[in-house]
Amino acid sequence: MTTIHQDQARQWLEKFLDGMTSNEEEALYTFFASDEVPKDLWKYKKMFAWYAEKMQGELPHRAKTRHKIMRGLSIAASVLLLAGIGLGVQKHVEQQKVYESYEGSYILHNGKKITDIREILPRLQATESQVKILKQEVHQQITEKTDEEELPVI
């Protein structure tokens, strides 16, 4: 039986948790069954006892916690997936409303009448943007002229 010290136990514990221990390093089972375990490593005593008993009986508390965390993460992932799908559906519905508002619209391009809303919508929206800009420019010019002119006194 190999006697190991606390520092060595910590090193071997890391290797054990990574699944990389040798047969000699499996002395951790004996170490964790002893009274020499420092307080900061007590949380592993139940785990090693469970392994030493050939994993019979109920899982140690930490393993249950990890299972609960994984379950919670999978539930959270499902909720995020559903939220993403919901947002996608909402965006699609909103796009359909936009298409419906332009229903019956068409443009003439190179002498050809185009009625496919998906093709003409970007052009219609660009035209609307240009009209808004022109409207602002005209409003600004009118405002400047009004400021320059003297208004008649009534």
Side-chain angles (χ1 to χ4, degrees):
M1 180 169 93
T2 305
T3 305
I4 60 175
H5 300 287
Q6 293 177 5
D7 292 334
Q8 192 176 29
R10 285 184 176 84
Q11 292 172 354
W12 288 2
L13 176 63
E14 286 182 38
K15 288 178 74 175
F16 179 87
L17 295 173
D18 290 334
M20 304 296 291
T21 51
S22 65
N23 286 340
E24 177 188 7
E25 294 164 338
E26 295 291 320
L28 282 170
Y29 290 98
T30 307
F31 173 78
F32 279 99
S34 73
D35 294 329
E36 299 175 20
V37 180
K39 287 184 179 184
D40 64 311
L41 297 180
W42 279 3
K43 60 186 173 188
Y44 297 103
K45 282 182 74 82
K46 289 181 182 179
M47 178 182 75
F48 276 96
W50 185 68
Y51 284 132
E53 295 170 7
K54 298 181 175 53
M55 297 180 272
Q56 298 295 316
E58 195 171 319
L59 290 172
H61 177 65
R62 186 140 175 94
K64 285 182 189 178
T65 302
R66 183 169 291 145
H67 176 71
K68 287 179 183 177
I69 290 171
M70 293 305 293
R71 184 174 174 213
L73 287 174
S74 65
I75 290 170
S78 298
V79 168
L80 285 174
L81 178 64
L82 290 173
I85 290 171
L87 289 174
V89 168
Q90 180 184 6
K91 184 175 180 175
H92 176 74
V93 167
E94 288 173 2
Q95 189 67 35
Q96 288 303 113
K97 287 180 182 178
V98 169
Y99 288 159
E100 289 172 8
S101 70
Y102 287 100
E103 189 173 340
S105 298
Y106 66 92
I107 62 170
L108 295 174
H109 183 71
N110 294 333
K112 181 181 173 189
K113 183 177 180 179
I114 302 172
T115 59
D116 181 5
I117 193 66
R118 288 173 181 82
E119 187 176 341
I120 67 172
L121 183 61
R123 295 177 187 185
L124 290 173
Q125 290 172 331
T127 302
E128 283 180 345
S129 294
Q130 290 173 346
V131 168
K132 285 180 184 177
I133 291 169
L134 288 172
K135 184 179 174 183
Q136 289 173 348
E137 289 174 1
V138 168
H139 179 72
Q140 184 178 359
Q141 288 176 359
I142 291 172
T143 305
E144 287 173 1
K145 282 196 173 199
T146 306
D147 290 343
E148 291 173 5
E149 297 175 0
E150 288 187 26
L151 297 174
V153 178
I154 302 180

